[in-house]
Amino acid sequence: MHLSVAVVPAPDQVVVRLTGDAGRPTLPRLVPALTTAAGHGTASIVVDVACARFRDGSALEALAGFSDAMAAAGRRLRLVGAPAATRRLVTETGLADHLELDGPLTGQDPVRPRPHRVSDTQPVVAVWPGSPPETRRSRPLGRSRRGAGLAVDGVGGPTVPLRRSR
């Protein structure tokens, strides 16, 4: 198992980023990083687990114990970016009352994929000047025909001339 741990201090909080596999063999990397983060004295520690895979409950148990210790000192630890699999493991291990997550324990992943740009999902229509609309053909952008006056009919927008390819 390999776990990369980065501690990133900021004025009002410290972010601990976990990347890779988290489990019992990686606790010697995780626990000192959490201790270092707490040593900065901020009121909040944010643990980014978006790129971590929890192989067993031991790393989550360590985070829960650390969270309880922070709460007893009037500070807080919260997990952000936890995918659905991590949220299920938090529930299955009974740690939901000890860990603060950035969303509900059930349901879909809290991080939604970026929407596609219009050019990624809809065809671009090449238009020869003076051609009737029924002769328009969908062509991928960047594969224009050589010739003066070639234009692209934008989706719901104006016709824009293409640059000539060399």
Side-chain angles (χ1 to χ4, degrees):
M1 271 189 202
H2 177 72
L3 180 68
S4 175
V5 182
V7 177
V8 183
D12 58 343
Q13 68 183 9
V14 176
V15 177
V16 178
R17 288 193 180 100
L18 305 180
T19 305
D21 297 321
R24 186 167 310 283
T26 61
L27 289 178
R29 279 187 220 100
L30 177 60
V31 173
L34 293 172
T35 303
T36 299
H40 287 279
T42 60
S44 177
I45 295 177
V46 175
V47 182
D48 182 352
V49 298
C51 295
R53 291 172 302 280
F54 291 90
R55 299 299 185 190
D56 57 39
S58 59
L60 287 173
E61 289 172 0
L63 286 167
F66 196 78
S67 178
D68 290 344
M70 291 281 294
R75 299 165 71 190
R76 76 190 262 214
L77 178 135
R78 65 189 172 99
L79 302 180
V80 298
T86 300
R87 293 169 184 278
R88 279 191 301 274
L89 189 57
V90 167
T91 302
E92 291 168 3
T93 56
L95 298 173
D97 292 336
H98 302 276
L99 290 170
E100 179 184 344
L101 280 86
D102 63 343
L105 287 171
T106 59
Q108 297 182 2
D109 292 342
V111 179
R112 291 177 176 68
R114 293 185 319 190
H116 294 288
R117 295 180 308 194
V118 172
S119 63
D120 291 343
T121 59
Q122 296 183 4
V124 175
V125 180
V127 181
W128 290 101
S131 64
E134 55 274 358
T135 62
R136 296 178 180 184
R137 293 184 294 187
S138 294
R139 297 176 54 103
L141 187 62
R143 294 185 167 203
S144 62
R145 294 183 190 178
R146 289 181 183 240
L150 181 65
V152 174
D153 185 7
V155 178
T159 300
V160 181
L162 288 176
R163 290 188 349 209
R164 294 176 81 149
S165 58
R166 297 181 183 222

